[in-house]
């Protein structure tokens, strides 16, 4: 369950532009009305707002319920109650006293929920025949949720585990300090998840009252998008939701009193955001000196609410400051070598919000200097109008990001729900984008003058006290954990089935189109799948130039090579390359993984030639400028420090290196020494050796003519040739550990421990793969519906999240279980996990569990295929892994074909509780005193 601590976790009205990689020429952008075309708004007699939008591009539907309640509504002493209630909404209802995650999973729903400042939202996307079932479940928990002592006690523990996990992040701790100082008397100044002190004190009566007050039909919006007929569905909605009564307490004195305080605070914030003729002294920076890996800066400025007429100009201003590599702050801070990253974003909410800028210092750089250059950049924006080139690029990025961000029906539903809940009108997006198109240079300048006022700035510095990000001491032992634990009986799916609403008559899923596959003369493999439903392009690619070729001495070489591809070619420097894409509606990224370099690109279909030409240019003509290499090396060193300071990153590295021997390609991880030793010649040699057309695969899905694309590919890649045979690694098989192995890594200053449990697993082409997937679904494929989730998370409340998975690639990757726990809960959670693995090994699974897991996977699969970005990734992966083109169509049948005999064989072969490697990273006190 997501929490909107930072608005990057939300589909906000304007995506945070620090992450923009997309753009489009203004003339190529679809009209704003396309976002709300076909939407029907219905208000039931009880006040429930219903938005329906038929989208017949795939046989799936999305159902979302948005409640107009978030941390904004919390009074003193109940910080985090909105989020606590969100967790309890999954614990069952009076008529269905079971974990709702298991019901959603049984339907094959891809589901989640989040709490933010102004709203709490629940969403699920399913095959179209499960629509009524999803509507029934959401209506049930709108009125009948179980909120009792047992549910609250276990879920409080889960929430505290979640909060302690956030405490591990220096960014989170700095943001909390800055926001409290910026908004001392407003609910927005506190973290959405609340404080541990308040969460511990919540009573059943308190949470029930909050539920009764805010989870009422007139305070909610139900959004349905996808493949359905409006009239019959509205009839079902009226029958299901129309009988729910309004429950909001009209005379909540406490709420009215708080509202009065908030109105005063809000008007103060608006005054704060206005320009002042009198000079006010700047506040001194907040300085946190705590264990951490990198120096951080965060600055916050008050903003008006979402309906203020300045909002479009503010958001264009943000795109100019932080929208991509060509943006002003990226050029001033990152390209200058002062910072390793910079981002920004405007929080425009029901009440006056804020604008936030964040930067991570490059190694050896002073935060004071970064703050100075930041202020100079903002002052320049205030003193002179922006150029027409910058203005057009910013508008283009923003317009295109909406089209690219709404390719799937889940995102379309979220867009409607957010606009209706926060702006009070689902049409808001049309007015907003129309206003964006009209923003002038003078309006941007005026917004900068008005809102980036140094006297209204709250700025915070995080100064790490732990040098070099080095991990603390570690302990190791082989043997059992000290606790004995006997798991309860697995949940019987037959028992669960009686609580499931029926699906409508099953409909034949639309048969998935297969990609066209061909190979260019130079050996480059291409997969094309035309999809004319949206004016977008999604590109996925892989080059066999992954980190498996690094070796321990030059660990990090593959990543540095991939990260430097966009830093210049024979005809374009880094900034020209960035502008080529950001001006024309395309984004292109490269990142190295174990078995290859991943390529991802997207843009509007009109800009497909730009995307392909830029890809070809960097793959054939990259020049690796020395100055850019040094900047990327510094960023890699900062990233390494952050990884070693994060229990997740350090724990995974220690786990991986415990499984794979030193001479195995999966053992190598970058070190400060290896990164510093890599030369430009190393990059050139690696590039010339491994970047070859005959080791490259490209998949394209979107709005294009296949004949024209083929001609374009032949034209731009025709001169790219390889000599000799491509490098091949012979990877040795890895035996399981002889005994159970325990490793503990200590990172000072952390609040939450992260544990990895597992060993080497299987490859994707292993004949047991489909059985392993089904087995994993039962064991830990979902933290709310699996055996591990049911026992360790739901019943005992020991972890916010526990998952298992098989990382099956071209070569066998690890089978692993991951969880986060409070330090003193780690041992109990590990003991519980081992007991569940032994139970699985000794007793196997039931026929009902097998059938439910198969249905869950195969029913969920069409939802994946409803997003063209996912389709391009699936097509690519299947090709790279050597699977047939028809795998994308036949995958559900292969899952359904798994038998009980297959399952028993998979358990016997793949579940080995006595051979596990167990790694816990985090604070040192993971073993209770006296154990």
């Amino acid at each position: 369950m997501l929490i909107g601590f930072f608005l990057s976790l939300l589909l906000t009205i304007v995506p945070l532009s620090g992450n923009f990689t997309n753009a489009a020429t203004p003339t190529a952008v679809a009209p704003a009305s396309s976002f709300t075309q076909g939407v029907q708004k219905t208000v039931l007699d009880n006040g429930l707002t219903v938005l329906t939008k038929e989208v017949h591009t795939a046989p799936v539907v999305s159902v979302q319920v948005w409640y107009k309640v978030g941390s904004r509504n919390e009074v003193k002493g109940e910080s985090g109650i909105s989020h606590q209630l969100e967790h309890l909404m999954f614990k069952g209802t009076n008529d269905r006293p079971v974990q709702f995650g298991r019901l959603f999973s049984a339907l094959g729903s891809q589901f989640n929920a989040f709490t933010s400042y102004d709203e709490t939202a629940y969403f699920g996307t399913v095959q179209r025949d499960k629509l009524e079932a999803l509507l029934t479940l959401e209506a049930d928990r709108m009125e009948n949720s179980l909120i009792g002592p047992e549910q609250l006690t276990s879920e409080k523990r889960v929430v505290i585990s979640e909060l302690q996990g956030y405490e591990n992040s220096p960014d989170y701790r700095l943001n909390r300090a800055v926001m409290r100082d910026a908004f001392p008397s407003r609910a927005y100044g506190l973290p959405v998840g609340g404080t541990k002190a308040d969460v511990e004190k919540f009573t059943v009566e308190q949470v029930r009252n909050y539920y009764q007050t805010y989870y009422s039909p007139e305070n909610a919006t139900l959004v349905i998008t996808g493949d359905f007929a409006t009239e019959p569905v509205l009839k079902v909605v009226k029958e299901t939701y129309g009988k729910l009564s309004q429950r909001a307490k009209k005379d909540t004195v406490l709420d009215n009193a708080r509202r009065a305080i908030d109105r005063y605070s809000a008007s103060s914030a608006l005054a704060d955001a206005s320009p002042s003729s009198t000079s006010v002294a700047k506040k001194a920076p907040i300085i946190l000196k705590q264990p951490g890996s990198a120096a951080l800066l965060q600055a916050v400025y008050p903003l008006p609410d979402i309906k203020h007429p300045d909002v479009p100009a503010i958001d264009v201003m943000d795109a100019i400051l932080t929208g991509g590599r060509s943006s002003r702050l990226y050029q001033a801070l990152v390209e200058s070598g002062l910072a390793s990253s910079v981002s920004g974003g405007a929080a425009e909410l029901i009440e006056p919000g804020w604008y936030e800028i964040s930067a991570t210092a490059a190694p050896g750089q002073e935060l004071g200097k970064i703050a100075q250059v930041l202020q100079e950049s903002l002052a320049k924006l205030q003193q002179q109008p922006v150029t027409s080139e910058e203005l057009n690029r910013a508008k283009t990025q923003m317009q295109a990001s909406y089209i690219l961000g709404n390719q799937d029906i889940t995102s379309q539903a979220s867009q409607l729900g957010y606009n209706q809940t926060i702006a009070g009108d689902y049409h808001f997006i049309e007015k907003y984008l129309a206003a964006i198109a009209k923003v002038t240079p003078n309006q941007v300048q005026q917004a900068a003058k008005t809102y980036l006022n140094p006297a209204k700035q709250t700025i915070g510095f995080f100064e790490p006290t732990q040098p070099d990000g080095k991990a603390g001491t570690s302990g190791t032992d082989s043997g059992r954990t000290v606790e004995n634990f006997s798991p309860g009986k697995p949940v019987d799916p037959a028992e669960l089935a009686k609580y499931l609403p029926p699906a409508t008559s099953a409909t034949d899923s639309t048969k998935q189109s297969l990609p066209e596959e061909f190979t260019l003369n130079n050996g480059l493999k291409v997969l094309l799948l035309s999809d004319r439903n949206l004016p977008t392009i999604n590109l996925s690619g892989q080059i066999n130039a992954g980190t498996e070729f690094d070796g321990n001495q030059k660990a990090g070489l593959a990543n540095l090579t991939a990260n430097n591809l966009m830093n210049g070619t024979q005809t374009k420097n880094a900034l020209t390359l960035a502008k080529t894409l950001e001006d024309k509606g395309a984004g292109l990224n490269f990142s190295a993984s174990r078995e290859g370099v991943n390529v991802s690109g997207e843009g509007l279909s009109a800009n497909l030639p730009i995307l392909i030409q830029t890809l070809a240019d960097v793959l054939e003509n990259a020049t690796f400028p020395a100055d850019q290499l040094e900047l990327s090396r510094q960023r890699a060193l900062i990233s390494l420090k952050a990884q070693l300071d994060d229990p997740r990153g350090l724990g995974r590295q220690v786990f991986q290196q415990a499984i794979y021997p030193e001479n195995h390609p999966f053992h190598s991880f970058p070190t400060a020494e290896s990164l510093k030793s890599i030369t430009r010649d190393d990059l050139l040699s690696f590039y010339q050796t491994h970047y070859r057309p005959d080791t490259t695969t490209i998949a394209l899905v979107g709005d294009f003519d296949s004949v024209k694309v083929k001609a374009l590919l032949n034209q731009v890649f025709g001169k790219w040739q390889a000599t000799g045979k491509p490098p091949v690694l012979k990877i040795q098989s890895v035996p399981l550990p002889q005994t159970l192995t325990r490793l503990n890594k200590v990172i000072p200053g952390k609040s939450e421990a992260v544990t990895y449990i597992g060993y080497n697993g299987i490859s994707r082409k292993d004949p047991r793969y489909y059985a392993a997937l089904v087995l994993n679904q039962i064991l830990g494929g979902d933290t709310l519906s699996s055996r591990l989730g049911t026992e360790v998370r739901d019943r005992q409340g020991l972890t916010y999240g526990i998952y298992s998975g098989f990382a099956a690639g071209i070569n066998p990757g690890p089978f692993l279980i991951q969880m986060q726990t409070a330090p003193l809960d780690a041992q109990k959670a590990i003991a519980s996990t081992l007991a569940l693995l032994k139970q699985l090994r000794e007793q196997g699974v039931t026929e009902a569990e097998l059938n439910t897991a198969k249905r869950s996977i195969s029913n969920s699969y069409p939802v994946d295929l409803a997003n063209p970005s996912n389709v391009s990734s699936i097509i690519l992966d299947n090709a790279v892994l050597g699977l047939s083109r028809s795998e994308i169509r036949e995958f559900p049948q292969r899952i359904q074909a798994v038998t009980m005999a297959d399952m028993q064989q998979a358990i016997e072969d793949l579940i080995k509780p006595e051979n596990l490697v167990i790694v816990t990273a985090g604070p040192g006190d993971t073993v209770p005193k006296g154990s």
Side-chain angles (χ1 to χ4, degrees):
M1 281 161 276
L2 303 177
I3 249 199
F5 284 117
F6 306 105
L7 287 194
S8 57
L9 292 182
L10 272 179
L11 182 104
T12 49
I13 281 301
V14 177
L16 294 192
S17 51
N19 295 324
F20 279 154
T21 53
N22 314 311
T25 50
T27 53
V29 174
S33 61
S34 63
F35 292 103
T36 57
Q37 196 169 2
V39 176
Q40 184 171 324
K41 179 181 176 182
T42 308
V43 180
L44 304 190
D45 291 342
N46 59 10
L48 178 72
T49 299
V50 184
L51 300 177
T52 52
K53 181 182 183 183
E54 293 185 29
V55 185
H56 300 290
T57 54
V60 296
V61 289
S62 187
V63 172
Q64 303 189 5
V65 180
W66 290 65
Y67 294 95
K68 193 175 180 177
V69 59
S71 62
R72 175 180 71 92
N73 303 85
E74 297 163 2
V75 299
K76 189 176 180 182
E78 63 177 30
S79 172
I81 195 169
S82 304
H83 173 238
Q84 182 69 73
L85 177 56
E86 176 220 314
H87 276 246
L88 288 165
M89 288 286 283
F90 284 87
K91 299 296 273 187
T93 64
N94 297 324
D95 293 337
R96 295 180 174 87
V98 290
Q99 165 57 253
F100 262 44
R102 291 203 286 273
L103 297 174
F104 293 136
S105 183
L107 291 173
S109 175
Q110 292 190 8
F111 65 96
N112 215 320
F114 68 81
T115 306
S116 192
Y117 300 99
D118 293 336
E119 78 275 26
T120 308
Y122 303 82
F123 46 98
T125 303
V126 292
Q127 285 191 98
R128 59 189 169 203
D129 60 308
K130 312 293 191 307
L131 171 58
E132 286 188 32
L134 216 48
L135 289 169
T136 300
L137 291 175
E138 286 297 353
D140 190 15
R141 65 176 175 174
M142 182 178 282
E143 186 164 78
N144 304 309
S145 273
L146 269 180
I147 301 171
E150 183 185 339
Q151 290 85 6
L152 181 58
T153 299
S154 74
E155 214 57 30
K156 265 193 198 182
R157 201 168 178 180
V158 170
V159 166
I160 289 168
S161 166
E162 181 181 357
L163 295 182
Q164 287 181 303
Y166 293 122
E167 289 288 335
N168 280 352
S169 164
D171 291 89
Y172 171 79
R173 301 200 299 271
L174 179 60
N175 181 262
R176 180 178 56 193
V178 169
M179 290 295 288
R180 276 180 175 167
D181 193 73
F183 305 108
S185 59
R186 298 182 61 210
Y188 283 163
L190 291 171
V192 172
T195 64
K196 185 181 175 204
D198 279 1
V199 170
E200 285 173 335
K201 291 179 199 161
F202 290 153
T203 65
V204 170
E205 184 183 25
Q206 193 180 7
V207 181
R208 271 188 194 150
N209 284 341
Y210 201 79
Y211 172 62
Q212 292 289 338
T213 301
Y214 291 108
Y215 278 56
S216 188
E218 77 279 15
N219 199 45
T221 297
L222 170 66
V223 187
I224 309 166
T225 56
D227 193 16
F228 64 92
T230 301
E231 289 312 313
V233 165
L234 278 178
K235 184 170 181 286
V236 172
V237 167
K238 287 169 184 172
E239 290 168 357
T240 311
Y241 289 82
K243 61 189 179 189
L244 304 182
S245 57
Q246 293 189 5
R247 305 195 310 277
K249 298 179 181 178
K250 308 294 182 194
D251 58 347
T252 311
V253 178
L254 185 63
D255 189 59
N256 289 340
R258 193 206 61 77
R259 277 274 162 263
I261 293 168
D262 252 15
R263 278 195 293 274
Y264 170 78
S265 303
S267 60
S268 301
L270 263 181
D272 286 348
S274 302
S276 173
S277 55
T278 57
S279 177
V280 182
K282 284 174 65 177
K283 285 195 283 188
I286 298 159
I287 298 175
L288 294 189
K289 294 188 176 183
Q290 297 173 356
S293 59
L296 309 171
L297 174 151
Q298 288 184 10
V300 163
Y301 304 83
L303 286 185
D305 64 71
I306 192 169
K307 293 184 180 178
H308 195 281
D310 286 349
V311 160
I314 291 168
D315 293 340
V316 173
M317 174 191 79
D318 170 48
I320 287 166
L321 284 172
T322 65
R325 188 167 188 168
S326 62
S327 66
R328 289 195 176 191
L329 291 184
Y330 191 97
Q331 290 295 313
L333 296 175
V334 180
E335 291 288 0
S336 68
L338 285 173
S340 65
S341 65
V342 64
S343 61
E348 289 134 348
L349 308 171
I350 290 176
E351 294 174 12
W354 61 93
Y355 182 63
E356 180 181 316
I357 297 171
S358 301
T360 302
Q365 297 294 340
E366 295 293 325
L367 290 170
K369 175 67 174 170
I370 293 173
Q372 178 191 333
V373 174
L374 169 62
Q375 188 52 51
E376 289 168 0
S377 298
L378 301 184
K380 184 180 177 186
L381 193 60
Q382 294 167 330
Q383 289 156 10
Q384 57 194 70
V386 299
T387 66
S388 58
E389 180 193 3
E390 284 181 297
L391 186 68
N392 289 336
R393 185 184 305 125
K395 291 180 180 181
T396 301
Q397 288 176 329
M398 296 168 74
Q399 298 268 8
S401 72
Y402 276 96
I403 296 169
L404 293 164
N406 279 278
Q407 293 187 89
D408 61 287
I409 63 158
T410 304
S411 299
Q412 291 178 45
S414 297
Q415 183 77 63
L416 294 170
Y418 186 88
N419 281 290
Q420 183 64 38
T421 305
I422 311 305
D425 180 8
Y426 73 89
H427 284 292
F428 180 83
I429 180 69
E430 299 168 27
K431 302 166 191 170
Y432 171 80
L433 288 175
I436 289 289
K438 294 175 184 170
V439 169
T440 66
N442 286 338
Q443 286 175 319
V444 174
Q445 184 182 9
Q446 188 57 48
K449 284 180 179 176
T450 304
Y451 301 107
L452 302 181
N453 184 343
K456 306 302 180 188
Q457 176 197 69
T458 304
I459 191 166
F461 296 162
F462 181 90
E463 298 178 355
T465 56
Q466 189 183 354
D468 303 326
K470 287 180 180 170
T473 56
S474 67
T476 176
D477 66 83
S478 296
R480 312 277 176 197
T481 54
V482 291
E483 298 193 42
N484 289 315
F485 174 77
S486 183
K489 278 190 172 181
V491 175
D492 182 5
E495 179 69 15
L496 191 70
K498 69 185 184 187
Y499 299 120
L500 270 174
T504 53
S505 56
T507 50
D508 290 331
S509 291
T510 307
K511 209 163 192 186
Q512 172 63 42
S513 301
L514 298 183
E516 183 181 356
E517 184 177 328
F518 58 92
T519 303
L520 302 185
N521 291 335
N522 58 9
L524 190 149
K525 185 184 283 188
V526 181
L527 299 114
L528 298 179
L529 184 59
S530 182
D531 177 355
R532 309 316 281 265
N533 287 309
L534 292 162
T536 59
I537 295 296
N538 293 273
L539 181 150
S540 298
Q542 180 164 316
I543 305 144
N544 296 351
T547 62
E548 63 185 2
F549 290 108
D550 274 357
N552 292 321
Q553 299 306 309
K554 296 288 182 181
L557 175 57
N559 234 320
L560 271 182
T561 306
N563 291 342
N564 275 270
L565 287 172
M566 294 291 291
N567 283 338
T569 66
Q570 291 168 15
T571 56
K572 292 184 174 76
N573 64 18
L575 183 57
T576 306
L577 278 171
K579 286 181 177 178
T580 299
L581 295 169
E582 290 167 11
D583 284 351
K584 297 294 183 181
L588 188 60
N589 293 289
F590 300 87
S591 62
S593 61
R594 283 284 167 201
E595 295 187 328
V597 169
N598 304 312
V599 186
S600 61
E602 61 179 359
L604 300 186
S605 48
N607 299 312
L608 174 60
I610 299 277
L611 193 64
I612 296 296
Q613 285 157 7
T614 306
L615 175 63
D617 193 19
V618 297
L619 290 183
E620 298 178 50
N621 305 311
T623 53
F624 304 100
D627 58 341
Q628 290 289 347
L629 170 58
E630 288 313 310
L631 290 175
S632 62
R633 189 199 313 276
Q634 296 305 311
R635 291 195 288 270
L637 287 166
I638 283 287
S639 177
L640 173 62
K641 276 189 174 184
Q643 181 186 326
L644 296 178
D645 185 53
D646 183 342
R648 292 168 301 177
L650 180 64
R652 181 61 193 264
Q653 177 173 330
V654 172
F655 172 76
Q656 191 103 358
Q657 291 185 326
I659 292 174
Y660 298 104
E662 201 169 324
N663 60 347
H664 194 283
F666 290 5
H667 180 92
S668 73
F669 280 81
T671 64
E673 293 71 30
S674 71
L675 288 171
K676 288 173 183 174
S677 76
I678 294 169
T679 66
R680 179 173 178 271
D681 285 343
D682 290 329
L683 262 67
L684 282 167
S685 175
F686 191 88
Y687 175 66
Q688 288 157 2
T689 303
H690 298 285
Y691 282 72
R692 306 165 50 105
D694 53 357
T695 63
T696 299
T697 306
I698 296 170
L700 275 170
V701 174
D703 179 21
F704 55 74
D705 179 298
S706 296
V707 175
K708 290 180 181 175
V709 172
K710 278 186 196 175
L712 175 67
L713 291 168
N714 275 305
Q715 177 195 334
V716 298
F717 284 109
K719 293 177 184 172
W720 191 23
Q721 299 295 328
T723 55
K725 291 190 175 177
V728 177
L729 278 176
K730 184 160 176 58
I731 296 184
Q732 70 208 63
S733 59
V734 177
L736 295 182
Q738 292 301 301
T739 57
L740 186 142
T741 305
R742 289 294 312 271
L743 297 165
N744 293 300
K745 281 285 182 183
V746 178
I747 311 178
K750 300 303 173 187
S751 305
E752 192 81 335
V754 175
T755 298
Y756 292 91
I757 302 173
Y759 36 65
N760 191 39
I762 59 173
S763 71
R764 175 61 177 85
K765 291 185 86 170
D766 190 297
R768 299 165 296 185
Y769 174 75
Y770 300 99
L773 267 191
V774 177
L775 171 61
N776 186 68
Q777 180 70 16
I778 295 167
L779 174 64
D782 184 306
T783 198
L784 294 181
S785 65
S786 62
R787 284 194 182 185
L788 286 170
T790 298
E791 189 63 57
V792 183
R793 184 202 191 277
D794 215 36
R795 192 172 76 80
Q796 298 184 63
L798 293 174
T799 177
Y800 168 56
I802 182 166
Y803 298 92
S804 64
F806 287 88
I810 297 168
N811 299 291
F815 162 71
L816 62 88
I817 297 166
Q818 178 187 352
M819 64 180 119
Q820 71 172 56
T821 59
L824 294 179
D825 285 341
Q827 294 297 318
K828 188 174 183 183
I830 291 167
S832 304
T833 300
L834 295 185
L836 283 162
L837 289 171
K838 288 173 190 166
Q839 181 190 60
L840 182 62
R841 174 82 186 180
E842 291 162 7
Q843 299 174 19
V845 301
T846 66
E847 195 81 40
E849 279 184 304
L850 170 65
N851 291 330
T852 300
K854 291 198 296 187
R855 272 198 306 272
S856 178
I857 296 170
S858 53
N859 286 346
S860 172
Y861 187 64
V863 179
D864 287 326
L865 299 182
N867 185 336
S869 177
N870 289 346
V871 172
S872 72
S873 296
I874 292 168
I875 288 171
L876 174 80
D877 289 345
N878 288 344
V880 167
L881 291 162
L883 305 171
S884 75
R885 275 189 314 138
S886 59
E887 174 68 19
I888 191 169
R889 182 185 287 173
E890 294 167 0
F891 174 79
Q893 287 77 46
R894 298 189 199 280
I895 290 293
Q896 287 296 338
V898 173
T899 65
M900 185 58 86
D902 296 331
M903 192 62 77
Q904 288 163 345
Q905 189 65 53
I907 293 170
E908 186 179 330
D909 294 348
L910 303 175
I911 302 300
K912 307 278 187 181
E914 63 281 1
N915 302 112
L916 292 165
V917 170
I918 303 172
V919 175
T920 299
D925 49 350
T926 56
V927 180
K929 297 290 183 285
S931 295

